[in-house]
Amino acid sequence: MPKTSGSQPETLSRLRAMTQKQEQILQGAMQVFLRDGYAGTSMDRVSAEAGVSKQTIYSHFQDKEGLFKALIERVTIASFQGIFCTEDLHGEPAILLREIAETYLTKVAENSEYLALFRLIITESQRFPELAKLYTQTVIQRGRLLLSQYLASHPELGISDPEATAQIFFGSLVSYVMVQEMLYGKEMMPLSRDRILDSLMSLVLAHTSKDH
Amino acid sequence: MPKTSGSQPETLSRLRAMTQKQEQILQGAMQVFLRDGYAGTSMDRVSAEAGVSKQTIYSHFQDKEGLFKALIERVTIASFQGIFCTEDLHGEPAILLREIAETYLTKVAENSEYLALFRLIITESQRFPELAKLYTQTVIQRGRLLLSQYLASHPELGISDPEATAQIFFGSLVSYVMVQEMLYGKEMMPLSRDRILDSLMSLVLAHTSKDH
DNA sequence: GTCTATAAGAGGATAGAC
DNA sequence: GTCTATCCTCTTATAGAC
């Protein structure tokens, strides 16, 4: 065992460093957990997917619950960074707001991992309240705060309650993706990305200039 | 076996009539399935909750899957009727739109069954696509159609795309409830019902009259 | 550290009494 | 039709070889 195990600096406050074997296990675990949920996942499938034996998993993680928590914490933190950290949040509202919405929809459409994580957080919000709370704190709260601060700094938009409006803004995007991608809206009642974007911009920017 | 089993009229197109024992089983099954999900539910717990033996369940339903499908179909159809069928959808927009939103939020807040069903539909949307599609068709599509027709019949609202706007309208309500009630937003970042209602009305009614 | 083999138990489904 | 008792598979977790 390494002598420095107790004093190494952590890359992120809540994220301990992982060895390569642990990364390999988490990679396999992600495939299975995100697809089949917690109860629907067996450790046999995780070991098969990760290409290691079951005992190896148990030597690195305490049990199924410990593995699941470590995985979700990791993916949750990566999720916020993937969506928001490339954004600057300053610029012309008519351009920036559309950019934020487009970025979100594109990221989620391209990378099904975001959507799978969101579904899993909802699914297991009763069994693992601490994971749901981490998600709320890390992704939702910070996203809402970021946008509401921007909205508050642009009084020309005529928005009286930036926090509530930010919740509505992101909420309409999330629910759109949920219906289209998870609940088979795409094939049963198609509604294009651009129509949602146009209507959302029209609602939020209503007080600024006539756009016809 | 009854002679008339093949020719009895059905109360609803997709809903076969249930005997009293079957109702009792479904009532117990609802408690467990809505709380623990499909994989997390054992037939032993269902039988205990329903107050019948396990074999009685298997004599009325083919297997766990058959029971689950019968239950969700029933609850899904009841859900739409519970939320929308009391609504008329005509009247002054400033009043009616707020009424719709308030009704939805109140119903969901009062009766956690609506929320539990929604979570379960999302959770099991991969395992049971036909149930998710039934929900989309029965609840989401009809809700969106109802509202979009109303919006289209009120050109003074200045809404260029009623369908997309209806999706945004309901979507923002659904996501608000999801965050507050399922993801512990209520305790971590409280945001009152009235603030969401006020901001949503302000967005949708922006083109009609100055409200300050 | 990693693997194979196995113990211990839970859960879906059925057989047979009444 | 309903209940009690049972079968058998699958799953978590561990023991022991290398």
Side-chain angles (χ1 to χ4, degrees):
Chain A
M1 58 185 72
K3 303 175 180 179
T4 60
S5 64
S7 58
Q8 59 192 352
E10 295 176 324
T11 52
L12 263 173
S13 58
R14 296 189 64 103
L15 226 57
R16 56 180 169 156
M18 293 283 169
T19 69
Q20 205 222 328
K21 205 71 175 184
Q22 286 169 330
E23 292 288 355
Q24 183 182 345
I25 294 170
L26 287 177
Q27 193 60 34
M30 185 160 64
Q31 306 295 325
V32 188
F33 275 123
L34 287 187
R35 191 184 58 232
D36 300 336
Y38 181 79
T41 291
S42 77
M43 297 297 267
D44 281 317
R45 297 185 69 132
V46 172
S47 77
E49 192 76 34
V52 301
S53 80
K54 215 163 39 165
Q55 178 57 24
T56 301
I57 299 177
Y58 279 100
S59 74
H60 286 282
F61 299 91
Q62 193 178 9
D63 54 11
K64 187 181 177 183
E65 236 184 78
L67 173 62
F68 184 71
K69 287 181 186 174
L71 171 69
I72 298 301
E73 282 180 12
R74 167 160 289 247
V75 179
T76 296
I77 291 170
S79 180
F80 179 82
Q81 295 176 338
I83 293 180
F84 288 110
C85 276
T86 61
E87 294 294 330
D88 282 14
L89 283 230
H90 48 72
E92 186 70 23
I95 295 170
L96 180 78
L97 290 176
R98 193 182 189 98
E99 215 172 73
I100 293 177
E102 268 181 343
T103 299
Y104 177 81
L105 292 180
T106 304
K107 283 270 172 62
V108 170
E110 276 175 2
N111 195 341
S112 64
E113 197 178 290
Y114 290 114
L115 204 59
L117 172 65
F118 185 66
R119 183 178 60 225
L120 198 52
I121 291 292
I122 291 174
T123 297
E124 308 298 344
S125 61
Q126 306 291 307
R127 198 195 304 256
F128 299 103
E130 71 275 26
L131 293 180
K133 286 177 184 174
L134 174 65
Y135 187 87
T136 299
Q137 224 167 29
T138 307
V139 180
I140 300 177
Q141 197 165 37
R142 289 178 64 183
R144 185 197 283 179
L145 184 67
L146 215 62
L147 180 57
S148 71
Q149 283 175 344
Y150 176 84
L151 295 177
S153 69
H154 286 263
E156 74 271 23
L157 291 170
I159 289 171
S160 62
D161 190 338
E163 279 189 43
T165 306
Q167 164 65 37
I168 291 171
F169 188 92
F170 280 126
S172 61
L173 294 177
V174 170
S175 63
Y176 166 72
V177 170
M178 233 168 45
V179 171
Q180 294 302 111
E181 304 292 331
M182 287 171 39
L183 300 181
Y184 305 94
K186 208 178 215 168
E187 55 187 82
M188 297 176 69
M189 35 187 252
L191 187 58
S192 78
R193 225 183 72 147
D194 286 339
R195 285 176 64 188
I196 290 290
L197 281 172
D198 289 341
S199 288
L200 187 56
M201 290 308 120
S202 172
L203 288 174
V204 176
L205 302 174
H207 287 286
T208 54
S209 64
K210 325 277 180 185
D211 50 333
H212 58 86
Chain B
M1 57 184 72
K3 303 175 182 182
T4 59
S5 63
S7 57
Q8 59 193 353
E10 294 176 325
T11 52
L12 263 172
S13 59
R14 297 188 64 104
L15 227 57
R16 57 180 168 153
M18 294 283 170
T19 68
Q20 206 224 327
K21 205 70 175 183
Q22 285 169 332
E23 293 288 355
Q24 183 182 344
I25 294 171
L26 286 177
Q27 193 60 34
M30 185 160 66
Q31 306 294 326
V32 188
F33 275 122
L34 287 187
R35 188 184 61 232
D36 299 337
Y38 181 78
T41 291
S42 76
M43 295 297 268
D44 280 318
R45 298 185 68 133
V46 172
S47 77
E49 191 75 34
V52 300
S53 79
K54 212 161 45 163
Q55 178 57 23
T56 300
I57 299 178
Y58 280 99
S59 74
H60 284 283
F61 300 91
Q62 192 177 10
D63 52 12
K64 188 181 176 183
E65 237 184 76
L67 173 63
F68 185 69
K69 288 181 186 173
L71 171 69
I72 299 301
E73 283 181 12
R74 166 161 289 247
V75 179
T76 296
I77 291 172
S79 181
F80 178 83
Q81 295 176 338
I83 293 180
F84 288 111
C85 275
T86 60
E87 293 296 328
D88 281 16
L89 284 227
H90 50 72
E92 185 71 23
I95 296 169
L96 180 78
L97 290 176
R98 194 183 188 98
E99 214 172 73
I100 293 177
E102 269 181 343
T103 299
Y104 176 81
L105 292 180
T106 303
K107 283 271 173 63
V108 170
E110 277 176 1
N111 194 343
S112 64
E113 196 179 293
Y114 290 115
L115 204 59
L117 172 65
F118 186 66
R119 182 177 60 225
L120 198 52
I121 291 290
I122 291 174
T123 297
E124 307 299 344
S125 61
Q126 307 289 307
R127 199 195 301 256
F128 300 103
E130 72 275 24
L131 293 181
K133 288 178 184 174
L134 174 65
Y135 187 85
T136 299
Q137 224 168 28
T138 307
V139 180
I140 301 177
Q141 198 165 38
R142 289 178 65 182
R144 185 196 283 178
L145 184 67
L146 215 62
L147 181 56
S148 71
Q149 283 175 345
Y150 176 84
L151 295 177
S153 70
H154 286 263
E156 74 271 22
L157 291 169
I159 289 170
S160 60
D161 190 337
E163 280 188 41
T165 306
Q167 164 65 37
I168 292 172
F169 187 91
F170 280 126
S172 61
L173 294 178
V174 170
S175 62
Y176 166 73
V177 171
M178 231 168 45
V179 171
Q180 294 301 111
E181 304 292 331
M182 286 171 40
L183 300 181
Y184 306 93
K186 207 178 216 167
E187 56 188 83
M188 298 177 71
M189 35 188 254
L191 187 58
S192 77
R193 224 183 72 146
D194 285 338
R195 285 176 63 188
I196 289 290
L197 281 173
D198 288 342
S199 288
L200 187 56
M201 291 307 121
S202 171
L203 290 173
V204 177
L205 301 175
H207 287 285
T208 53
S209 65
K210 326 277 180 185
D211 50 334
H212 57 86

